């Protein structure tokens, strides 16, 4: 049954070295091809979940499976970057080359692919995010929305099985945000989207996990949970405009 899931976590917990218990016993599943929203107020533990799934932080869990690998196992962990892509809140942290082409090529080059294959992957990934022809552009000179899409292209060029997106709509203007939502909805890959932009979550996710104080307090259909005013206000969130 585990192989059916893109992610399966049973009693996943993590405490930071200073003793902060960021996640306590969270259990959830993400099916292959599913897009799940991870919602909760600041400090709920959303970023920590991503870092545990990506093997950056060493979680404890009864069982943990991410893209067929166990991030707690050091051999498996080495293969995770090729299978799990993370998009950080601030694209400036993710774009560091002098041209978009070099940025998007960085991951595939590290996979040791041939230069022809890298070129193909760069072209394909730029096409997927609507940035065909941006190869020679300077990342720093792009709009916020274009930067975000370039960062996504860099991850897609790795052909990952799972995308983890941390507050992808943060810092975007309304047009950039609409374009991002459109893009996310065209990507058939498994996605977990962490955000407190609940209108964006509603537009991209069928199902949500509500996280607060390191615990999953509810999980179910986005429409139902995000429309539950009592649940939202109990956890520092607001019903999205579309459901008011
Ligand atoms: P979110 O992404 O939902 O805002 P985080 O995963 O960043 O939440 O944080 C979860 C909890 O862990 C918070 O209480 C936060 O203060 C704490 N935390 C995050 N990073 C660290 C760290 N490096 N050391 C200690 N505590 C941390």
């Amino acid at each position: 049954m585990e192989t059916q899931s893109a992610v399966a976590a049973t009693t996943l917990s993590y405490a930071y070295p200073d003793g902060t218990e960021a996640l306590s016993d969270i259990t959830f599943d993400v099916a292959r091809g599913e897009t799940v929203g991870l919602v909760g107020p600041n400090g709920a533990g959303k970023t920590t979940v991503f870092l545990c799934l990506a093997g950056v932080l060493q979680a404890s869990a009864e069982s943990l499976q991410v893209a067929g690998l166990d991030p707690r196992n050091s051999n498996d962990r080495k293969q995770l970057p090729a299978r799990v892509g993370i998009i950080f809140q601030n694209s400036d942290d993710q774009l560091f080359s002098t041209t978009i082409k070099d940025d998007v090529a960085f991951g595939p080059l590290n996979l040791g692919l041939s230069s022809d294959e890298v070129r193909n992957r760069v072209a394909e990934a730029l096409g997927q995010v609507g940035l065909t022809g941006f190869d020679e552009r300077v990342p720093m000179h792009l709009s916020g929305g274009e930067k975000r899409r370039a960062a996504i292209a860099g991850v897609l060029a790795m052909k990952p099985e799972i995308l983890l997106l941390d507050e992808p709509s943060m810092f975007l203007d309304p047009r950039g945000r609409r374009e991002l939502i459109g893009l996310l909805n065209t990507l058939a890959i498994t996605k977990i989207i962490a955000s407190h932009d609940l209108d964006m979550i509603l537009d991209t996710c069928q199902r949500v996990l509500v996280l607060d104080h390191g615990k999953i307090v509810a999980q179910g259909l986005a429409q139902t949970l995000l429309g539950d005013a009592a649940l939202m206000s109990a956890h520092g969130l607001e019903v999205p405009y579309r459901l008011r």
Side-chain angles (χ1 to χ4, degrees), residues 16 18 20 22 41-48:
Y16 281 98
D18 70 357
T20 305
N42 286 332
K46 303 182 294 297
T47 303
T48 308

Side-chain angles (χ1 to χ4, degrees), residues 21 26 33 37-38 55 63 65 67 76-77 81-82 121 147 175 192 195 208 220 222:
E21 211 182 313
I26 67 169
L38 181 61
S63 65
Q65 185 270 119
D76 281 15
R77 203 154 54 231
R121 286 198 180 198
K147 281 185 193 172
R175 181 197 290 152
I192 307 181
S195 188
V208 293

Side-chain angles (χ1 to χ4, degrees), residues 199 202 222-228 239-244:
D199 280 280
L202 191 62
Q223 191 93 16
T224 311
L225 296 190
L226 302 183
D228 182 337
V239 172
Y241 287 107
R242 196 144 68 70
L243 295 181
R244 282 182 206 167

Side-chain angles (χ1 to χ4, degrees), residues 24-40:
S24 7
D25 287 343
I26 67 169
T27 294
F28 67 97
D29 245 65
V30 178
R32 283 182 198 277
E34 196 183 7
T35 300
V36 171
L38 181 61
V39 306

Side-chain angles (χ1 to χ4, degrees), residues 152-199:
I152 294 174
V155 168
L156 291 177
M158 303 280 282
K159 296 200 182 286
E161 292 175 30
I162 302 173
L163 274 189
L164 307 176
L165 299 115
D166 198 354
E167 296 288 359
S169 60
M170 191 109 100
F171 311 123
L172 298 188
D173 64 14
R175 181 197 290 152
R177 189 175 163 281
R178 288 309 319 169
E179 287 174 350
L180 172 80
I181 291 169
L183 166 62
L184 293 177
N185 286 334
T186 64
L187 299 175
I189 182 175
T190 307
K191 299 180 276 303
I192 307 181
I193 307 178
S195 188
H196 38 66
D197 175 354
L198 299 189
D199 280 280

Side-chain angles (χ1 to χ4, degrees), residues 81-83 85 87 100-114 117-129 149-163 187 189:
R83 297 199 200 175
I87 306 296
I100 288 294
K101 173 177 68 118
D102 287 350
D103 251 321
V104 178
F106 181 81
L109 281 173
N110 273 309
L111 291 179
L113 300 171
S114 71
E117 174 67 11
V118 171
R119 223 182 346 253
N120 289 341
R121 286 198 180 198
V122 170
E124 189 185 344
L126 287 176
Q128 276 180 291
V129 303
R149 287 187 281 138
I152 294 174
V155 168
L156 291 177
M158 303 280 282
K159 296 200 182 286
E161 292 175 30
I162 302 173
L163 274 189
L187 299 175
I189 182 175

